[in-house]
Amino acid sequence: MLEPSDELLSVRARIARRLERGAPPSLLGRALEAAWAAVASPRLARPLSIPEGARVIGVGSAVLGGAGKTPVAIALAAGLAERGHAVALIGHAYRARPERARAVSPDDPVTLVGDDALSCARKLAPHSVPVLVAPSRAEALAYATREGRDVLVVDGLLQAAPARITDAILLLDAAAPWGAGRCPPLGDLRAPPEALLAASDHVAALVGAGALARSAELPAGAVTLAASTTSAVDPDGRAHDLSSLARLRVGLAVAIARPGRLLATLAVHGIHPAAVLALADHAAFGPSVERRARRAAVDAWLTTARCATKLPPRFGGAPVLALEHSVDVGPLLPRLSAIRGA
């Protein structure tokens, strides 16, 4: 299996990859880690004004980037809508600057609403669930309640202050629940585990295809959620089973955290990309990257649904196929106070 190359990575991305692997402890490193933990722990609860009557479900992660928060938030919003709840997903317009609170259209420019929010809107359009962005989360929440949405799923929020949210979900990777096990600069934990658990109401662990869950490291009461990637959609909207793509010479073009996990998932389906273009999380695919893609001479480029919002239908002369990733949140939904109190 090819490993993501460091050649394309920015300094920020190189630091992120180093944190994922963990760094050898040193006297200075331990001191800086203690300082990070002291600052990060109280900041897990973000200052946020919650509209009266709103039931807020937050999805936060234990590690910095690449935990699967957005797919879980999408699945929760879709599942709640199927059960008849007036739900909205509050996205974050990362690397975009919306001037006002607004609903995201599947056809919006990615530069206006951000890649995460745009991919959410495309996934949730069949469920009639609006995806909202705004200059601040508080504005997005207020807009949602004015539109008659009273169950609000917030992507990337673990906890709020001064009032706690209705359901705070801490998301873990079942194969590495606490990442590298240390806070920066020695690891990728957002805060110490005890602080993360204190901020949460529920703990969910994602289990991907072929991954081994470290059950002994999971907190008591954690619910496991099965994640799967079984097909990819071409520019004409046709879905292709991953098994059919194993016979082709494919490449992987992504701008995500932890691309190694995606490579491992593809390997389970017999897909070993002939070329890997792994950029920094949320980065844009510029002309230099496309030149590399053209030199790779592949039959197709695989990417994530989020990255597909920033790629043309053909990249480097080959079609772009967006991987279909899904999460079964069925075991988590009955635990939510937002439903029980409806």
mmCIF file of all heavy atoms in Angstrom, residues 247-271:
data_model
loop_
_atom_site.group_PDB
_atom_site.id
_atom_site.type_symbol
_atom_site.label_atom_id
_atom_site.label_comp_id
_atom_site.label_asym_id
_atom_site.label_seq_id
_atom_site.Cartn_x
_atom_site.Cartn_y
_atom_site.Cartn_z
ATOM 1 N N ARG A 247 -9.922 -3.581 -10.425
ATOM 2 C CA ARG A 247 -9.277 -4.012 -11.675
ATOM 3 C C ARG A 247 -8.659 -2.852 -12.434
ATOM 4 O O ARG A 247 -7.950 -3.066 -13.421
ATOM 5 C CB ARG A 247 -10.305 -4.724 -12.560
ATOM 6 C CG ARG A 247 -10.919 -5.968 -11.928
ATOM 7 C CD ARG A 247 -11.789 -6.718 -12.920
ATOM 8 N NE ARG A 247 -12.954 -5.928 -13.310
ATOM 9 C CZ ARG A 247 -14.123 -5.967 -12.679
ATOM 10 N NH1 ARG A 247 -14.264 -6.742 -11.619
ATOM 11 N NH2 ARG A 247 -15.143 -5.251 -13.085
ATOM 12 N N LEU A 248 -8.965 -1.624 -12.019
ATOM 13 C CA LEU A 248 -8.479 -0.446 -12.735
ATOM 14 C C LEU A 248 -7.212 0.118 -12.091
ATOM 15 O O LEU A 248 -6.889 -0.172 -10.937
ATOM 16 C CB LEU A 248 -9.563 0.634 -12.744
ATOM 17 C CG LEU A 248 -10.917 0.266 -13.335
ATOM 18 C CD1 LEU A 248 -11.870 1.451 -13.225
ATOM 19 C CD2 LEU A 248 -10.780 -0.172 -14.780
ATOM 20 N N ARG A 249 -6.524 0.946 -12.848
ATOM 21 C CA ARG A 249 -5.401 1.707 -12.303
ATOM 22 C C ARG A 249 -5.982 3.017 -11.776
ATOM 23 O O ARG A 249 -6.313 3.920 -12.539
ATOM 24 C CB ARG A 249 -4.351 1.970 -13.385
ATOM 25 C CG ARG A 249 -3.172 2.830 -12.916
ATOM 26 C CD ARG A 249 -2.201 3.073 -14.054
ATOM 27 N NE ARG A 249 -1.218 4.092 -13.708
ATOM 28 C CZ ARG A 249 -0.096 3.874 -13.037
ATOM 29 N NH1 ARG A 249 0.191 2.639 -12.637
ATOM 30 N NH2 ARG A 249 0.741 4.856 -12.757
ATOM 31 N N VAL A 250 -6.148 3.105 -10.472
ATOM 32 C CA VAL A 250 -6.776 4.278 -9.876
ATOM 33 C C VAL A 250 -5.765 5.037 -9.022
ATOM 34 O O VAL A 250 -4.765 4.483 -8.552
ATOM 35 C CB VAL A 250 -7.999 3.905 -9.017
ATOM 36 C CG1 VAL A 250 -9.049 3.194 -9.850
ATOM 37 C CG2 VAL A 250 -7.589 3.062 -7.822
ATOM 38 N N GLY A 251 -6.062 6.315 -8.832
ATOM 39 C CA GLY A 251 -5.295 7.144 -7.919
ATOM 40 C C GLY A 251 -6.194 7.645 -6.810
ATOM 41 O O GLY A 251 -7.428 7.565 -6.908
ATOM 42 N N LEU A 252 -5.600 8.157 -5.765
ATOM 43 C CA LEU A 252 -6.351 8.748 -4.659
ATOM 44 C C LEU A 252 -5.912 10.199 -4.514
ATOM 45 O O LEU A 252 -4.722 10.482 -4.326
ATOM 46 C CB LEU A 252 -6.090 7.990 -3.352
ATOM 47 C CG LEU A 252 -6.813 8.535 -2.113
ATOM 48 C CD1 LEU A 252 -8.320 8.309 -2.235
ATOM 49 C CD2 LEU A 252 -6.284 7.873 -0.843
ATOM 50 N N ALA A 253 -6.860 11.120 -4.621
ATOM 51 C CA ALA A 253 -6.591 12.554 -4.488
ATOM 52 C C ALA A 253 -7.462 13.098 -3.374
ATOM 53 O O ALA A 253 -8.686 13.169 -3.523
ATOM 54 C CB ALA A 253 -6.868 13.284 -5.794
ATOM 55 N N VAL A 254 -6.853 13.482 -2.251
ATOM 56 C CA VAL A 254 -7.621 13.933 -1.094
ATOM 57 C C VAL A 254 -6.909 15.088 -0.395
ATOM 58 O O VAL A 254 -5.703 15.242 -0.490
ATOM 59 C CB VAL A 254 -7.845 12.791 -0.070
ATOM 60 C CG1 VAL A 254 -8.811 11.753 -0.607
ATOM 61 C CG2 VAL A 254 -6.515 12.147 0.321
ATOM 62 N N ALA A 255 -7.706 15.874 0.306
ATOM 63 C CA ALA A 255 -7.192 16.930 1.179
ATOM 64 C C ALA A 255 -7.892 16.745 2.525
ATOM 65 O O ALA A 255 -8.832 17.457 2.864
ATOM 66 C CB ALA A 255 -7.476 18.305 0.594
ATOM 67 N N ILE A 256 -7.447 15.719 3.246
ATOM 68 C CA ILE A 256 -8.081 15.340 4.506
ATOM 69 C C ILE A 256 -7.010 15.041 5.545
ATOM 70 O O ILE A 256 -5.842 14.827 5.216
ATOM 71 C CB ILE A 256 -8.974 14.087 4.339
ATOM 72 C CG1 ILE A 256 -8.140 12.896 3.832
ATOM 73 C CG2 ILE A 256 -10.132 14.363 3.401
ATOM 74 C CD1 ILE A 256 -8.896 11.591 3.780
ATOM 75 N N ALA A 257 -7.412 15.027 6.795
ATOM 76 C CA ALA A 257 -6.530 14.536 7.848
ATOM 77 C C ALA A 257 -6.570 13.004 7.844
ATOM 78 O O ALA A 257 -7.577 12.418 7.460
ATOM 79 C CB ALA A 257 -6.986 15.070 9.204
ATOM 80 N N ARG A 258 -5.491 12.378 8.198
ATOM 81 C CA ARG A 258 -5.386 10.922 8.334
ATOM 82 C C ARG A 258 -5.756 10.158 7.057
ATOM 83 O O ARG A 258 -6.623 9.272 7.074
ATOM 84 C CB ARG A 258 -6.254 10.451 9.510
ATOM 85 C CG ARG A 258 -5.954 11.201 10.791
ATOM 86 C CD ARG A 258 -6.941 10.855 11.891
ATOM 87 N NE ARG A 258 -6.875 11.872 12.934
ATOM 88 C CZ ARG A 258 -6.002 11.858 13.947
ATOM 89 N NH1 ARG A 258 -5.145 10.871 14.065
ATOM 90 N NH2 ARG A 258 -5.991 12.829 14.836
ATOM 91 N N PRO A 259 -5.121 10.465 5.930
ATOM 92 C CA PRO A 259 -5.422 9.722 4.695
ATOM 93 C C PRO A 259 -5.046 8.248 4.773
ATOM 94 O O PRO A 259 -5.565 7.432 4.014
ATOM 95 C CB PRO A 259 -4.604 10.450 3.629
ATOM 96 C CG PRO A 259 -3.500 11.112 4.392
ATOM 97 C CD PRO A 259 -4.101 11.504 5.702
ATOM 98 N N GLY A 260 -4.142 7.901 5.688
ATOM 99 C CA GLY A 260 -3.753 6.500 5.825
ATOM 100 C C GLY A 260 -4.928 5.596 6.160
ATOM 101 O O GLY A 260 -4.975 4.432 5.731
ATOM 102 N N ARG A 261 -5.897 6.123 6.913
ATOM 103 C CA ARG A 261 -7.070 5.309 7.259
ATOM 104 C C ARG A 261 -7.911 5.022 6.020
ATOM 105 O O ARG A 261 -8.478 3.933 5.881
ATOM 106 C CB ARG A 261 -7.909 6.013 8.319
ATOM 107 C CG ARG A 261 -7.203 6.144 9.650
ATOM 108 C CD ARG A 261 -8.146 6.463 10.768
ATOM 109 N NE ARG A 261 -9.010 7.594 10.485
ATOM 110 C CZ ARG A 261 -9.836 8.124 11.378
ATOM 111 N NH1 ARG A 261 -9.900 7.634 12.599
ATOM 112 N NH2 ARG A 261 -10.593 9.149 11.065
ATOM 113 N N LEU A 262 -7.991 5.991 5.104
ATOM 114 C CA LEU A 262 -8.747 5.773 3.875
ATOM 115 C C LEU A 262 -8.032 4.757 2.994
ATOM 116 O O LEU A 262 -8.671 3.896 2.378
ATOM 117 C CB LEU A 262 -8.938 7.098 3.142
ATOM 118 C CG LEU A 262 -9.773 7.073 1.860
ATOM 119 C CD1 LEU A 262 -11.113 6.390 2.097
ATOM 120 C CD2 LEU A 262 -9.985 8.483 1.332
ATOM 121 N N LEU A 263 -6.726 4.825 2.948
ATOM 122 C CA LEU A 263 -5.958 3.844 2.183
ATOM 123 C C LEU A 263 -6.179 2.436 2.726
ATOM 124 O O LEU A 263 -6.301 1.471 1.967
ATOM 125 C CB LEU A 263 -4.476 4.202 2.212
ATOM 126 C CG LEU A 263 -4.048 5.366 1.319
ATOM 127 C CD1 LEU A 263 -2.646 5.830 1.682
ATOM 128 C CD2 LEU A 263 -4.110 4.965 -0.153
ATOM 129 N N ALA A 264 -6.237 2.319 4.047
ATOM 130 C CA ALA A 264 -6.481 1.004 4.650
ATOM 131 C C ALA A 264 -7.864 0.484 4.291
ATOM 132 O O ALA A 264 -8.052 -0.715 4.039
ATOM 133 C CB ALA A 264 -6.314 1.097 6.165
ATOM 134 N N THR A 265 -8.858 1.375 4.250
ATOM 135 C CA THR A 265 -10.213 0.976 3.866
ATOM 136 C C THR A 265 -10.245 0.483 2.427
ATOM 137 O O THR A 265 -10.868 -0.540 2.111
ATOM 138 C CB THR A 265 -11.186 2.164 4.031
ATOM 139 O OG1 THR A 265 -11.234 2.537 5.408
ATOM 140 C CG2 THR A 265 -12.585 1.800 3.558
ATOM 141 N N LEU A 266 -9.574 1.196 1.538
ATOM 142 C CA LEU A 266 -9.535 0.779 0.138
ATOM 143 C C LEU A 266 -8.834 -0.569 -0.012
ATOM 144 O O LEU A 266 -9.251 -1.410 -0.823
ATOM 145 C CB LEU A 266 -8.826 1.839 -0.705
ATOM 146 C CG LEU A 266 -9.535 3.189 -0.837
ATOM 147 C CD1 LEU A 266 -8.674 4.180 -1.602
ATOM 148 C CD2 LEU A 266 -10.890 3.033 -1.518
ATOM 149 N N ALA A 267 -7.790 -0.792 0.779
ATOM 150 C CA ALA A 267 -7.064 -2.055 0.698
ATOM 151 C C ALA A 267 -7.946 -3.242 1.053
ATOM 152 O O ALA A 267 -7.795 -4.337 0.495
ATOM 153 C CB ALA A 267 -5.842 -2.009 1.613
ATOM 154 N N VAL A 268 -8.891 -3.041 1.972
ATOM 155 C CA VAL A 268 -9.838 -4.101 2.329
ATOM 156 C C VAL A 268 -10.632 -4.549 1.105
ATOM 157 O O VAL A 268 -10.988 -5.723 0.975
ATOM 158 C CB VAL A 268 -10.793 -3.619 3.451
ATOM 159 C CG1 VAL A 268 -11.930 -4.603 3.672
ATOM 160 C CG2 VAL A 268 -10.021 -3.403 4.742
ATOM 161 N N HIS A 269 -10.884 -3.614 0.185
ATOM 162 C CA HIS A 269 -11.644 -3.919 -1.030
ATOM 163 C C HIS A 269 -10.723 -4.264 -2.207
ATOM 164 O O HIS A 269 -11.186 -4.313 -3.360
ATOM 165 C CB HIS A 269 -12.526 -2.731 -1.395
ATOM 166 C CG HIS A 269 -13.587 -2.430 -0.382
ATOM 167 N ND1 HIS A 269 -14.788 -3.098 -0.340
ATOM 168 C CD2 HIS A 269 -13.609 -1.551 0.654
ATOM 169 C CE1 HIS A 269 -15.515 -2.639 0.669
ATOM 170 N NE2 HIS A 269 -14.826 -1.697 1.284
ATOM 171 N N GLY A 270 -9.466 -4.488 -1.942
ATOM 172 C CA GLY A 270 -8.532 -4.878 -2.987
ATOM 173 C C GLY A 270 -8.041 -3.743 -3.846
ATOM 174 O O GLY A 270 -7.489 -3.966 -4.935
ATOM 175 N N ILE A 271 -8.219 -2.504 -3.388
ATOM 176 C CA ILE A 271 -7.795 -1.332 -4.158
ATOM 177 C C ILE A 271 -6.502 -0.788 -3.560
ATOM 178 O O ILE A 271 -6.453 -0.416 -2.380
ATOM 179 C CB ILE A 271 -8.879 -0.243 -4.160
ATOM 180 C CG1 ILE A 271 -10.150 -0.765 -4.844
ATOM 181 C CG2 ILE A 271 -8.381 1.018 -4.851
ATOM 182 C CD1 ILE A 271 -11.304 0.207 -4.799
#
